[in-house]
Amino acid sequence: RRGSDMAQGLSLLTGLIGLLNFTGYLYGVKALYGWASYDQMAFHAAIAFCLLGAGVVCSRPDLGWTAILISEGSGGAMARRLLPAGMAVPFVLGWGRLAGQRAGFYGTEIGVVLLTFLIIAVFLASILWTGRILDRLEAERRNAAEELARQTAVLKSVLDNMGEGLVVADLQGKFTSWNPMAERLVGL
């Protein structure tokens, strides 16, 4: 497990390096994808690094971060809802901030403040939305568990008050329970 965590971490790092260069190309910031003519990463190589990192992380869906993303629990639900926002929102807002500054609508200071405010607002809304959904799912699970307990109690009451002996066995033939009449019939 520790080896797969390390492999996924290094693969994620590879993908992030590709994403940094990809972002540099899309934003038109040469310093992000190369400082000199001999050490620039090509645009298609940046995309390949992103895909390679994502592919290796997703190659073992039963382990690590991919297992969290595909899990049926509340952690998986939260990750699936927040991950797209965590990747797309800063990217789009950063591009918008840079485009506004280049167009002369505002300076660096106002641009940073606007970007920070918008990121906080979007993530606050995403977190509250996800929290509401998780609360609703938890209430549904709790109601289902209570209903199951109620139906189990009714079934147990019916079985205990039957005039016939009843023995329940599992698929392997092992007796799992019997009602009071069955206990009296066999002398228990």
Side-chain angles (χ1 to χ4, degrees):
R1 177 178 167 95
R2 195 170 73 182
S4 70
D5 285 347
M6 183 178 292
Q8 283 192 348
L10 292 172
S11 299
L12 184 64
L13 181 62
T14 300
L16 289 174
I17 290 170
L19 184 61
L20 178 66
N21 287 279
F22 177 76
T23 305
Y25 274 106
L26 291 182
Y27 283 13
V29 179
K30 187 175 180 174
L32 291 178
Y33 60 87
W35 292 277
S37 61
Y38 59 86
D39 66 355
Q40 293 180 351
M41 180 183 286
F43 182 72
H44 64 280
I47 293 172
F49 270 61
C50 292
L51 294 175
L52 175 68
V56 172
V57 169
C58 294
S59 68
R60 293 291 308 266
D62 57 326
L63 296 174
W65 300 317
T66 309
I68 294 169
L69 284 173
I70 64 172
S71 76
E72 293 296 322
S74 57
M78 181 193 65
R80 285 187 299 276
R81 292 193 185 282
L82 293 179
L83 187 64
M87 294 187 67
V89 168
F91 187 79
V92 171
L93 292 178
W95 177 84
R97 179 234 180 263
L98 189 59
Q101 183 176 341
R102 285 179 179 163
F105 294 135
Y106 45 78
T108 303
E109 295 84 11
I110 292 176
V112 169
V113 170
L114 287 174
L115 176 67
T116 304
F117 169 76
L118 289 173
I119 288 175
I120 290 170
V122 168
F123 279 108
L124 181 62
S126 296
I127 290 167
L128 293 175
W129 175 60
T130 302
R132 179 184 300 164
I133 290 170
L134 291 177
D135 276 350
R136 190 189 77 226
L137 291 174
E138 188 62 33
E140 289 174 6
R141 283 188 193 130
R142 193 173 27 252
N143 290 340
E146 289 170 0
E147 180 63 20
L148 179 63
R150 188 188 67 74
Q151 289 179 1
T152 302
V154 168
L155 180 63
K156 183 174 178 359
S157 174
V158 168
L159 294 178
D160 286 349
N161 293 314
M162 284 180 67
E164 305 282 327
L166 180 72
V167 177
V168 179
D170 61 14
L171 293 176
Q172 287 77 32
K174 180 181 173 188
F175 296 127
T176 58
S177 65
W178 31 33
N179 68 353
M181 181 57 90
E183 289 177 357
R184 275 182 267 171
L185 288 174
V186 295
L188 294 176

XYZ file of all heavy atoms in Angstrom, residues 15-16 57 71 136 147:
45
model
N 1.579 14.952 -13.205
C 0.415 15.617 -13.781
C 0.361 17.093 -13.445
O -0.021 17.922 -14.280
N 0.754 17.450 -12.224
C 0.749 18.856 -11.829
C 1.798 19.665 -12.571
O 1.575 20.830 -12.911
C 0.938 18.984 -10.315
C -0.253 18.532 -9.468
C 0.093 18.569 -7.989
C -1.480 19.370 -9.756
N -2.640 7.447 -11.797
C -3.425 7.523 -10.564
C -4.692 6.677 -10.691
O -5.090 5.990 -9.760
C -3.764 8.991 -10.210
C -4.799 9.074 -9.106
C -2.502 9.734 -9.790
N -15.677 5.708 -4.133
C -16.370 5.067 -3.016
C -17.812 5.548 -2.927
O -18.157 6.639 -3.361
C -15.639 5.354 -1.698
O -15.902 6.669 -1.267
N -28.708 15.545 3.676
C -29.910 14.889 3.169
C -29.687 13.390 3.003
O -30.530 12.576 3.385
C -30.325 15.511 1.836
C -31.702 15.031 1.382
C -32.025 15.452 -0.025
N -31.284 14.559 -0.918
C -30.593 14.948 -1.967
N -30.505 16.200 -2.280
N -29.962 14.075 -2.712
N -36.406 2.378 9.749
C -37.488 1.580 9.152
C -37.118 0.106 9.132
O -37.948 -0.767 9.415
C -37.790 2.072 7.737
C -38.882 1.323 7.031
C -40.246 1.428 7.693
O -40.477 2.360 8.496
O -41.096 0.559 7.420
